[in-house]
Amino acid sequence: MASMSDNTEKPNSRPSSMRSGMAMLVLMVILCICAIIAIVLLGSLVGTISSQENQAPATIYINSGSGSDSTAGAATGSIAVEDLLPQAPAENGENACAGASPGFANVDCIIDGMTNVGPQAGANVTKGFKGDMQVDYEPITTSLFKAGLCPVNVHWHLGAEHYSLGEFDENGKGVRKIDWVTDGGSAGALGSFQCHHYNETKTMFTRKYDFKHCIGMEVGQTYEVHWPHSAAGACGTPDQYQNPFYDGVFCNLDLDTFNTLTPTQIATNVGVQSQVFTVVNDETYFRPNLMRGMIVDGEFGTDLAIYTGSSTGSSRSNNVCSPYSPITWQVDRKCQLISASSFDLMCAEMKMNRDDLTYDLIAHGARPLMSKNLTADNQQNRDRKLRGNIKN
């Protein structure tokens, strides 16, 4: 009986032992799967961190520098360029505007006592001033956008090329006096005017800013920004912004067609927006989208001088003139404050452009103030406070 009892119990003990072994096997498999998943996730995380460290993205720090000017407002955080820009430059492809510039050479302003050119820029834009050159055409008095033009370039000049009494003139000052040279300029000619904002006792004018993208710029200095516009530009395409800007102006305009245009047609299809700034290291004055055109907000762009002139730059003077005339000029008479980071963000955006804008990352030289006899007599005023009314 005892033997039968033993034989009866043994069959009942085997299933229990097998079940225990199976459970252990399943548990081990689950643990192995979890370990594999953990290793994969850890490897992915390490790879991501390593990739980010190797990229070392450039960053514009808002309110950078040590301390803040007590009169200029508090810090507003930081802005990373990669958060504001596309992750790659415009797609590669053929530049449809390359070589579109007709390449006209400068000309003598006066030949045998006779004016040899159309009206020139930059002019005195003080309210009430009028030039002596009589012309029978008018500039664009609406916004250039409403007139069907788009910006084809942005660049700036060291000091103001235009003159606005009490805003940017010979009595202005900056972090340093501007020493400038022009080709063919006359002794004693005025140019590279400065604004009146600079105050050496306020740190926002004197604290240096570490420009990552713009070249050779200074806090506390005056710059005049130009946005050339054209109705014949590659508007709304990757080829819209060009260097030289003449490629953008003439992108969709061949020379044969250009030669058939009247001065009025040229003046109403090509224009330049102009705004003068003193650069400060204070993010209270940060403005985005500076590449897109003149700032029109609050006191910005409210008091405009509008006239017909020409292209500018230090290769021209009152003796050597630009043949690119007449074109519309819309100039903000007021000098505005703007943060250094606003400029640096614009330069970063310029680097993303399809056409190479490197030449425009540095301030250009300024043309001397135009004499009255080379300035058009059609200067008009636009006050945005009066809903864009034009006043002569």
Side-chain angles (χ1 to χ4, degrees), residues 123-183:
N124 185 339
V125 294
T126 305
K127 191 167 289 186
F129 176 87
K130 277 192 182 297
D132 285 343
M133 182 182 287
Q134 295 184 354
V135 296
D136 58 0
Y137 39 80
E138 298 295 332
I140 301 169
T141 55
T142 66
S143 71
L144 299 185
F145 173 78
K146 286 184 178 179
L149 284 65
C150 69
V152 297
N153 174 273
V154 58
H155 64 272
W156 48 95
H157 298 262
L158 177 58
E161 291 192 302
H162 287 87
Y163 179 97
S164 182
L165 184 62
E167 291 289 332
F168 33 96
D169 56 27
E170 69 274 27
N171 296 315
K173 62 179 182 177
V175 66
R176 67 181 178 89
K177 183 179 179 180
I178 298 174
D179 295 321
W180 56 277
V181 177
T182 62
D183 299 333

Side-chain angles (χ1 to χ4, degrees), residues 169-362:
D169 56 27
E170 69 274 27
N171 296 315
K173 62 179 182 177
V175 66
R176 67 181 178 89
K177 183 179 179 180
I178 298 174
D179 295 321
W180 56 277
V181 177
T182 62
D183 299 333
S186 57
L190 295 175
S192 292
F193 300 107
Q194 291 177 296
C195 298
H196 291 237
H197 293 300
Y198 182 76
N199 185 339
E200 63 272 13
T201 67
K202 293 185 177 182
T203 58
M204 70 176 182
F205 293 105
T206 59
R207 187 174 65 243
K208 292 184 178 180
Y209 180 89
D210 184 15
F211 286 94
K212 302 294 186 183
H213 304 284
C214 298
I215 301 172
M217 294 195 65
E218 296 179 298
V219 170
Q221 192 55 274
T222 298
Y223 299 93
E224 180 171 333
V225 181
H226 293 167
W227 295 270
H229 283 60
S230 176
C235 303
T237 77
D239 295 322
Q240 180 171 325
Y241 285 81
Q242 294 286 316
N243 177 268
F245 69 80
Y246 300 108
D247 280 353
V249 170
F250 289 89
C251 184
N252 292 309
L253 179 64
D254 60 84
L255 187 57
D256 288 340
T257 302
F258 173 75
N259 287 332
T260 68
L261 300 179
T262 66
T264 296
Q265 289 173 317
I266 297 173
T268 54
N269 283 281
V270 182
V272 184
Q273 292 176 329
S274 172
Q275 208 156 30
V276 177
F277 300 99
T278 294
V279 175
V280 297
N281 193 349
D282 189 311
E283 298 318 313
T284 304
Y285 302 97
F286 176 74
R287 293 280 180 165
N289 302 322
L290 194 57
M291 186 175 175
R292 307 292 184 263
M294 177 187 288
I295 300 172
V296 182
D297 180 51
E299 292 300 313
F300 286 70
T302 61
D303 183 8
L304 300 184
I306 303 175
Y307 71 101
T308 54
S310 67
S311 54
T312 63
S314 59
S315 68
R316 286 105 186 201
S317 63
N318 280 296
N319 301 316
V320 179
C321 280
S322 168
Y324 297 97
S325 174
I327 60 177
T328 290
W329 278 87
Q330 297 188 350
V331 184
D332 190 346
R333 287 192 175 98
K334 304 297 183 184
C335 178
Q336 311 290 352
L337 295 175
I338 196 165
S339 72
S341 60
S342 301
F343 262 90
D344 215 24
L345 177 58
M346 173 174 61
C347 289
E349 289 184 289
M350 291 168 68
K351 289 181 175 181
M352 307 293 286
N353 194 63
R354 171 183 280 178
D355 193 29
D356 184 6
L357 302 181
T358 301
Y359 179 73
D360 290 323
L361 297 176
I362 188 170

Side-chain angles (χ1 to χ4, degrees), residues 79-86 286 345 349:
I79 295 178
V81 172
E82 65 271 18
D83 293 335
L84 300 176
L85 297 174
F286 176 74
L345 177 58
E349 289 184 289

